[in-house]
Amino acid sequence: MFEPPGARRRPDRRTAPRLVAGAAALTLGLAACTGAGAVGGDGEQIVVAIVSNPQMQDAISLQDHFRAEHPGVDVRFVSLPENEARAKITASVATGGGEFDVVMISNYETPMWAQNGWIENLQPYADATEGYEPDDFVPSVRDALSVDGDLYSVPFYGESSFLAYREDLFDERGLEMPERPTWDDVRELAAELHDPAADFSGVCLRGLAGWGEVMAPMGTVINTYGGRWFDEGWNARLDSPEVRAAVETYVDTVQRYGQPGAATSGFGDCLTRFAQGNAAMWYDATSMVSSVEDPASSNVAGDVGYVPAPVSETQAAGWLYSWSLAIPSTSEHKDAAWDFVSWMTDQDYIRLVGEELSWERVPPGSRLSTYEIPEYAQVSAAYAEATLTAMGEATQENTMTEAVPYPGIQFVGIPEFQDLGTRVGQQMSAAIAGQQTVDEALDQAQSYAETVAETYRAEADAASTTAGGS
């Protein structure tokens, strides 16, 4: 039985040295993890597995501050691209491999892994840590990371999705972005601005295979067009007219008006293209603002407007997602792991990023108090309200037309979805690349989904029979 640690007094970060460590020197490959949890010359060693997105790289670069506060904890990082990180982390945690003391997961994995006993209940830690204030987390994100009211992972950042567009170019061309754009609006505007001869795309959309890559934005299109993965009887529905219309719209839009090599474009690729000024619009995660609005790395900072996710048959279409930190139950250094987790996810870290790097690079969407910081309020004026609105509207009731038997918006909250979503994503990416038709992609996707559905129908039938005989 877990016993809560004693109350922890947080060091005052204002007295920490203002030093920035090099990210490259701290990022280790997976092969370097064989010593995870060992006690080295510098103290207790923990290994942290994270996704190599910009905000996470910022956290690596600020490690001298963590060391100053916790000199007895030696942090080693495994920083991997999203698809690879998912696979490595899942394989390790599911098999009890014990390589990692802290893992970056999401609101997809958290409830299931908690119920499997794979990750620690962090609520006692959070409650016992002075000044941590877990009630400050954005409510929708906190709920998504909790089981029976207890947090099993804590958010590093939270996000929904929205449409970013170049306000300056729209003004120059006399174009107007609707307050609530539809996908027909997006296509018409993209056609007006698309200029492949100048390496300028009307829109940027993910096409990289992966349930957390192409299937994230495409999943919201499926929802708003009236589609769903499974109906309430656990019948696979990926071959429905609604899903076909959604996928045809997405594929045709990115093929006609999207970026070159779209089938291999993930979040990072679209971020680079949009920030460099090579796309008129980009539909993706609200967390993009940390990089898009950073003048040090973006050529379009200050020239971008943000509107809700494009819709068809629904009033809203955004997703709800959070990159969060959890402690595997196999970790032998849970207290040290929590020292790091709480450092990277509390209010003081938000201020540290703002003061050391820039306020534009603050991890968004995790804490309500972030939006009350005057410096952040000033730089986020163009997107703060849009971000919180998108996250607040991201419910199944707002983004879907039909009831479904699973949790999740841009994912299906069942264990099989990692494999299913990956397989379906490969089909969608192949269709974007022109290697097969949309019909061929959906026929194969339906076959994959039907295999999963058979298991759940059998379980539902067995439960119904048991209930009927009781």
Side-chain angles (χ1 to χ4, degrees):
M1 179 66 70
F2 170 75
E3 294 183 4
R8 298 161 178 258
R9 179 172 294 277
R10 305 195 62 76
D12 186 350
R13 293 210 171 83
R14 291 171 296 182
T15 63
R18 302 290 184 179
L19 299 173
V20 177
L26 291 169
T27 305
L28 304 181
L30 188 66
C33 290
T34 54
V39 178
D42 293 331
E44 190 172 13
Q45 184 183 105
I46 62 171
V47 176
V48 178
I50 62 174
V51 177
S52 55
N53 284 354
Q55 292 93 340
M56 291 65 151
Q57 296 305 310
D58 285 346
I60 293 175
S61 77
L62 294 170
Q63 283 310 293
D64 275 358
H65 295 272
F66 177 76
R67 291 194 190 99
E69 298 166 21
H70 302 280
V73 181
D74 180 24
V75 183
R76 293 290 182 261
F77 288 92
V78 176
S79 180
L80 299 167
E82 183 170 329
N83 283 343
E84 188 176 352
R86 290 183 191 281
K88 298 288 188 185
I89 291 170
T90 299
S92 174
V93 175
T95 61
E99 296 96 334
F100 307 127
D101 298 286
V102 177
V103 292
M104 180 158 274
I105 59 175
S106 72
N107 50 310
Y108 164 71
E109 294 94 351
T110 299
M112 291 183 290
W113 291 14
Q115 292 169 355
N116 290 343
W118 294 350
I119 53 178
E120 288 295 297
N121 183 347
L122 299 184
Q123 194 68 45
Y125 283 100
D127 291 340
T129 301
E130 183 179 351
Y132 188 67
E133 298 187 25
D135 290 340
D136 182 44
F137 291 130
V138 173
S140 58
V141 172
R142 179 190 167 92
D143 290 347
L145 301 176
S146 297
V147 174
D148 296 330
D150 285 355
L151 284 161
Y152 278 80
S153 66
V154 288
F156 177 57
Y157 70 69
E159 65 182 34
S160 183
S161 54
F162 55 25
L163 180 68
Y165 69 100
R166 290 282 301 281
E167 284 186 317
D168 56 336
L169 297 183
F170 273 59
D171 290 343
E172 289 176 12
R173 298 287 293 272
L175 299 174
E176 185 175 348
M177 173 64 73
E179 292 183 7
R180 290 272 179 173
T182 66
W183 277 102
D184 288 341
D185 293 328
V186 170
R187 288 170 57 82
E188 291 174 7
L189 292 166
E192 287 281 342
L193 295 163
H194 192 56
D195 188 1
D199 191 28
F200 188 84
S201 55
V203 66
C204 200
L205 295 170
R206 299 193 210 185
L208 181 65
W211 72 263
E213 287 286 0
V214 66
M215 294 314 300
M218 186 180 285
T220 70
V221 184
I222 289 172
N223 292 340
T224 193
Y225 269 76
R228 47 187 171 167
W229 288 73
F230 304 98
D231 64 24
E232 289 186 288
W234 281 105
N235 300 295
R237 300 288 292 157
L238 292 181
D239 62 352
S240 69
E242 293 84 4
V243 172
R244 180 168 282 103
V247 175
E248 286 175 346
T249 295
Y250 192 98
V251 171
D252 187 67
T253 299
V254 74
Q255 286 179 340
R256 287 177 182 266
Y257 315 119
Q259 70 278 16
T264 59
S265 294
F267 174 84
D269 303 292
C270 283
L271 171 59
T272 298
R273 184 170 186 82
F274 189 78
Q276 288 179 346
N278 296 118
M281 294 178 287
W282 178 26
Y283 171 54
D284 215 301
T286 57
S287 60
M288 69 171 72
V289 297
S290 296
S291 297
V292 169
E293 296 295 342
D294 180 11
S297 59
S298 173
N299 295 332
V300 300
D303 292 329
V304 181
Y306 303 90
V307 290
V311 296
S312 177
E313 303 299 322
T314 59
Q315 292 299 309
W319 67 64
L320 181 66
Y321 196 78
S322 173
W323 280 121
S324 60
L325 296 177
I327 299 175
S329 297
T330 52
S331 171
E332 296 180 359
H333 304 276
K334 296 182 178 66
D335 283 358
W338 173 253
D339 285 339
F340 175 80
V341 167
S342 60
W343 175 84
M344 192 170 158
T345 60
D346 77 350
Q347 295 164 319
D348 288 341
Y349 178 82
I350 298 293
R351 285 195 168 274
L352 180 64
V353 173
E355 293 168 0
E356 287 291 324
L357 303 178
S358 76
W359 288 102
E360 291 86 356
R361 286 162 71 171
V362 161
S366 61
R367 288 184 173 273
L368 295 171
S369 59
T370 301
Y371 297 87
E372 299 173 356
I373 301 172
E375 296 92 337
Y376 186 71
Q378 181 177 354
V379 302
S380 67
Y383 54 83
E385 182 177 353
T387 297
L388 293 176
T389 297
M391 294 181 71
E393 291 182 344
T395 66
Q396 288 188 341
E397 291 75 17
N398 291 333
T399 62
M400 297 181 177
T401 65
E402 303 286 345
V404 294
Y406 50 84
I409 298 176
Q410 82 281 19
F411 58 77
V412 179
I414 57 175
E416 295 86 351
F417 186 71
Q418 283 216 51
D419 180 64
L420 173 61
T422 297
R423 289 172 179 267
V424 172
Q426 290 167 346
Q427 298 301 313
M428 300 304 110
S429 186
I432 290 170
Q435 297 170 353
Q436 62 181 353
T437 67
V438 168
D439 282 346
E440 289 170 337
L442 288 176
D443 285 347
Q444 187 61 63
Q446 173 70 8
S447 175
Y448 294 146
E450 184 58 33
T451 299
V452 172
E454 290 174 0
T455 300
Y456 284 86
R457 281 202 303 272
E459 291 177 358
D461 289 344
S464 176
T465 300
T466 301
S470 58

